[in-house]
Amino acid sequence: MRKNKNKRQPAKRKAASQTQNSKRPCSDSPKRTENPQLTPFEIFFKEIEKFSKLHMKDRDRVQEILQSMQKAGSKTLQVISDFDMTLTRFEYNGKRCPTCHNILERSDAISSDCKKKLQELLDKYYPIEIDSTLSVEEKLPLMVEWWTKAHELLVNQKIKKAGLAKAVKDSEAKLRDGYQYFFDHLNEHSIPLLIFSAGIGDILEEVIRQTEVFHPNVKVISNYMDFDESGVLKAFKGELIHIYNKKEGALLNTGHFQELRTRTNVLLLGDSLGDLNMADGVQDMENILKIGFLNDKVEERKQSYLDSYDIVLIKDETLDVPNAVIRFLTE
Ligand code: TMP
Ligand code: MG
């Protein structure tokens, strides 16, 4: 995994850089302009509206949610985020970035025959995943089929646990710009971050470990690999999580949401309409602000994203808007 050198800090200088980072959400955020006539909320909201990639169907509703969340304070906040194409970039220099599955597929842990088969599955099922003319009910069995076939192929490859770190290191995976502030700031304010992914937990963890942002406030719900005594992949653990059953996944993890029951305000980040269900296990929810990244097939999907997410970020490869929101909520 090639890290952006500007964002990578030598271990010794990390503490200093974190303090610095905590003062600014990102290098390219709009500058704060103090205006005595405006309230802090108005200043903040004007700032986020300047992002040209930000779209909202109901601006007043977004304002209401944000004001209510700010009033409740950051001790009542939890963040729930999808991983692939939400915390990671969709493209870089015009080239698609890999998902957790792609990281493994493109590594030398997989035979060329298996690579070909996984690519064929991607070519067949990804267009279905993002097809706005099909209902969730129509897509659901096909998504189960995709995940089941892909995992079967992976299990047949006798992948070694010891090779996963190298697969991630050699990959083109990239967290979105502004990731350092996002992870560090949430940790500094002890705000729990749940990463809820239909990808592969072992790979996801390795990505955030290698970028040095796997802080103690992070919990991951995902598909985890099951290795035998000699460290060879023999199956995937537990219930399969695919793109459209995050509701069931959330309801299986009641313990986690029970622990966070005083955190009744949620910031949710996703890139698929299936991600909207990630907060279904949250107890006594008071407010939820849903931010959706619309990365692909923009024109066909724009309306459905605007109808479902409070804020839609179109072809935005940064975490600037979520960062501005978490900065405002922790001020
Ligand atoms: P996410 O829940 O973290 O976004 O992860 C799910 C993504 O994984 C979804 O967009 C499709 C992708 N995927 C692949 O790229 N290859 C595969 O073989 C499978 C099963 C999923
Ligand atoms: Mg995703």
Side-chain angles (χ1 to χ4, degrees), residues 81-86 88 96 98-102 105 118 121-122 126 129-130 143 146-151 154 195-200 204 222 241-243 246 271-272 275 278:
S81 180
D82 168 56
F83 188 70
D84 289 317
M85 310 299 129
T86 295
T88 57
R96 284 288 300 272
T99 60
C100 293
H101 284 87
N102 301 153
E105 281 159 37
L118 287 164
L121 292 180
L122 186 76
Y126 176 67
E129 177 191 332
I130 60 163
M143 293 299 104
W146 182 14
W147 260 257
T148 309
K149 285 182 182 169
H151 287 188
L154 292 175
I195 303 180
F196 198 152
S197 171
I200 302 171
L204 181 171
S222 189
I241 302 174
H242 58 78
I243 202 97
K246 291 195 175 181
D271 79 297
S272 145
D275 295 330
M278 294 186 302

Side-chain angles (χ1 to χ4, degrees), residues 108-227:
D108 51 21
I110 305 285
S111 72
S112 52
D113 179 51
C114 181
K115 282 188 174 59
K116 194 169 151 267
K117 288 186 176 139
L118 287 164
Q119 186 61 43
E120 284 166 6
L121 292 180
L122 186 76
D123 295 343
K124 175 176 174 187
Y125 292 104
Y126 176 67
I128 300 173
E129 177 191 332
I130 60 163
D131 189 337
S132 55
T133 67
L134 294 174
S135 69
V136 171
E137 290 69 34
E138 287 170 303
K139 290 182 191 188
L140 203 135
L142 298 165
M143 293 299 104
V144 175
E145 211 172 272
W146 182 14
W147 260 257
T148 309
K149 285 182 182 169
H151 287 188
E152 263 169 29
L153 285 168
L154 292 175
V155 169
N156 288 335
Q157 289 297 297
K158 308 252 174 290
I159 294 164
K160 291 190 186 72
K161 188 177 169 63
L164 299 186
K166 183 174 183 297
V168 171
K169 196 160 175 281
D170 294 345
S171 79
E172 298 283 322
K174 275 193 173 45
L175 294 171
R176 284 184 192 267
D177 289 359
Y179 76 85
Q180 190 90 52
Y181 177 88
F182 178 81
F183 281 93
D184 291 353
H185 194 74
L186 290 177
N187 185 44
E188 281 159 22
H189 288 265
S190 305
I191 296 169
L193 166 61
L194 171 64
I195 303 180
F196 198 152
S197 171
I200 302 171
D202 309 73
I203 298 285
L204 181 171
E205 284 196 10
E206 200 50 50
V207 171
I208 56 175
R209 196 173 293 122
Q210 289 186 18
T211 21
E212 296 168 28
V213 291
F214 196 178
H215 300 316
N217 65 324
V218 176
K219 154 133 182 131
V220 179
I221 300 178
S222 189
N223 298 303
Y224 277 92
M225 295 170 144
D226 199 0
F227 297 95

